[in-house]
Amino acid sequence: MRHVIALDVGGTGMKAALIAANGTLLHQARRATGRENGPDAVVENILGFAAELRAVGAERFGEPAAAAGVAVPGIVDEERGVAAYAANLGWRDVPLRALLAERLGGIPVALGHDVRTGGLAEGRIGAGKGADRFFFVPLGTGIAGAIGIDGRVEAGAHGFAGEIGHIVVRPGGTPCPCGQRGCLERFASASAVSQAWAEACGDPQADAADCAKAVESGDARARAVWQEAVDALADGLVTALTLLDPRTLIIGGGLAEAGETLFAPLREAVRRRVTFQKLPAVVPAALGDTAGCLGAGLLAWDLLNTSTTARR
């Protein structure tokens, strides 16, 4: 059976799959990145994991994978196939596409940014399916974004398109590692809510999920923390929809797991802020933590489909 290898590399772990042409997950596996052993070890673990998947595919389905797709965090030069920088993995200018192609016997390899790759999957086969324009925003440790246009995701001229987390929503506010003050992700990411709630309730172990539960139970302090995050997020989203005019806003990541505790006030906050803009649908992501892996598979199949079209 014809299939591709899909790899989603995170800060601490890797998710992988063998994926058929119709999107069926034929095999799934997880592995630690081994980042505690340094960036070279991380790269070798990625290559070794991919080679193991190739062997599994050849044994189970009678032929090795036809292509591979890999999603990585940080700054990614998708055109050159280079993982340019990732603070949490410690690497710089890793020619990952070429290294993987060599390890996998010369098959085509696609390299993508993790959020844009997850957005590609959400747009094509997840919550944005059928929408010609969407904006995918995962709320995790930080906040990023993926701009979807007619079945593809826009990377921008330099690979930075969609970085909504660094829109300044509170001028002069909390310093951000990027060098600005008052960036969206300093107020509305899961880590920002965790920090704010831990300070408000006096429990250093409390996190955003605990805050959401306290909101649901009617805790006034939790509601204040939560509303501050929702208002900041709405300000950032309205800036984005003013620029992009998406048909659908897809919200994912850890904070979105709060469900309507997040979405009900967020939809209302966005609605209050729009004037001339067309109000988009604001929906939860559908694919969870499989989005990056599925998106990497889509990148791989796109490579094969493009090469087939080019030969005709």
Side-chain angles (χ1 to χ4, degrees), residues 47 94 98 101 106 137 148 153 155 162 168 177 179 182 192 201 203 210 225 246 267 286 297 299 306 308:
L47 299 178
V94 178
V137 182
V153 172
V168 174
C201 74
D203 178 1
D210 296 322
V225 168
R267 291 185 184 107
L299 290 178
T306 300
T308 300

Side-chain angles (χ1 to χ4, degrees), residues 28-52:
Q28 296 182 73
R30 292 179 183 249
R31 182 76 48 82
T33 60
R35 66 175 180 174
E36 66 278 3
N37 297 317
D40 291 343
V42 173
V43 173
E44 183 54 41
N45 286 338
I46 292 170
L47 299 178
F49 197 18
E52 287 179 27

